[in-house]
Amino acid sequence: DSGVTQTPKHLITATGQRVTLRCSPRSGDLSVYWYQQSLDQGLQFLIQYYNGEERAKGNILERFSAQQFPDLHSELNLSSLELGDSALYFCASSVAPATGRNGNTIYFGEGSWLTVV
Amino acid sequence: GENVEQHPSTLSVQEGDSAVIKCTYSDSASNYFPWYKQELGKGPQLIIDIRSNVGEKKDQRIAVTLNKTAKHFSLHITETQPEDSAVYFCAVTGGGADGLTFGKGTHLIIQP
């Protein structure tokens, strides 16, 4: 158990709908990352937050947005869903924002399976 | 941006033999190289990592080597066991980017 908690574990929704995925980071971690995993694209970095502020953006679509709240939990909002958005969405956390710095390791949650039908 | 190539995509070895997975990266400023193991239905789990000031790191049956000049690093698993069967991902970060850039993954199959 990595200590990163994600809900829901599974979600099935229709095209055009909107969903929210929730993440609680490990105790003491201030930085939260969101990744998308699909068969054809592998693990893709979406966005990172650090202590409530957006830190870095990756391949996140404009239909997607995220935020980190004062209690450090984070939510990923996916709207106008398309079939191609079906994927496993991972949240990860680390103590500090810069993974290249000594001792700063990223830990992943178990993921949220999203199926768009 | 950073580009990470991982080979092979599938690797089948006999139980007890060694397995080697290789990754190359493009950004010479990258300085952190973790390896993750992902089992079916689970999230990636960090198994070992190495930083750019070190050439090799070992943890029991697992070792990682880094060649910064050639921009490649490798995962070595010795005395493989059935529980080593999983998908392994290499990743890279540093050089100004905070998020990890992952390779496409290697499906390691341990044959009994």
Side-chain angles (χ1 to χ4, degrees), chain A residues 72-89:
Chain A
L72 301 177
H73 92 270
S74 178
E75 292 181 355
L76 178 66
N77 301 296
L78 315 174
S79 62
S80 303
L81 285 167
E82 302 175 359
L83 296 177
D85 297 328
S86 296
L88 191 52
Y89 291 84

Side-chain angles (χ1 to χ4, degrees), chain A residues 35 37 48 55 99 101 106, chain B residues 36 38 51 93 98 100:
Chain A
Y35 283 83
Q37 185 175 36
Q48 177 196 4
R55 172 82 178 187
T99 46
R101 300 286 171 83
I106 293 182
Chain B
Y36 286 83
Q38 186 177 21
R51 298 185 188 272
T93 195
D98 289 342
L100 291 169

Side-chain angles (χ1 to χ4, degrees), chain A residues 35 43 92-93 99 104-108, chain B residues 6 21 32-39 43-49 75 86-92 100 102 105-106:
Chain A
Y35 283 83
L43 272 161
S93 73
T99 46
N104 194 38
T105 302
I106 293 182
Y107 296 92
F108 282 77
Chain B
Q6 182 172 347
I21 303 170
Y32 177 62
F33 310 90
W35 285 89
Y36 286 83
K37 174 184 180 182
Q38 186 177 21
E39 296 175 321
Q45 176 190 6
L46 179 72
I47 55 172
I48 195 166
D49 58 11
L75 177 71
V87 179
Y88 291 80
F89 292 93
C90 65
V92 175
L100 291 169
F102 283 86
T106 296

Side-chain angles (χ1 to χ4, degrees), chain B residues 48-101:
Chain B
I48 195 166
D49 58 11
I50 193 167
R51 298 185 188 272
S52 59
N53 56 346
V54 175
E56 182 174 359
K57 184 176 178 181
K58 190 173 181 180
D59 182 5
Q60 298 182 355
R61 297 185 298 108
I62 295 173
V64 56
T65 58
L66 171 65
N67 184 327
K68 283 220 74 181
T69 304
K71 289 188 282 187
H72 69 71
F73 58 112
S74 300
L75 177 71
H76 305 254
I77 306 175
T78 59
E79 301 172 16
T80 53
Q81 299 169 4
E83 54 264 36
D84 295 329
S85 292
V87 179
Y88 291 80
F89 292 93
C90 65
V92 175
T93 195
D98 289 342
L100 291 169
T101 300

Side-chain angles (χ1 to χ4, degrees), chain A residues 32-67:
Chain A
V32 169
Y33 310 77
W34 286 97
Y35 283 83
Q36 179 192 57
Q37 185 175 36
S38 59
L39 282 175
D40 56 343
Q41 293 293 324
L43 272 161
Q44 296 280 316
F45 169 62
L46 296 179
I47 198 165
Q48 177 196 4
Y49 282 81
Y50 174 66
N51 205 19
E53 299 290 327
E54 182 182 304
R55 172 82 178 187
K57 256 186 178 179
N59 302 317
I60 189 166
L61 299 173
E62 286 192 10
R63 301 182 285 109
F64 296 179
S65 65
Q67 54 184 331

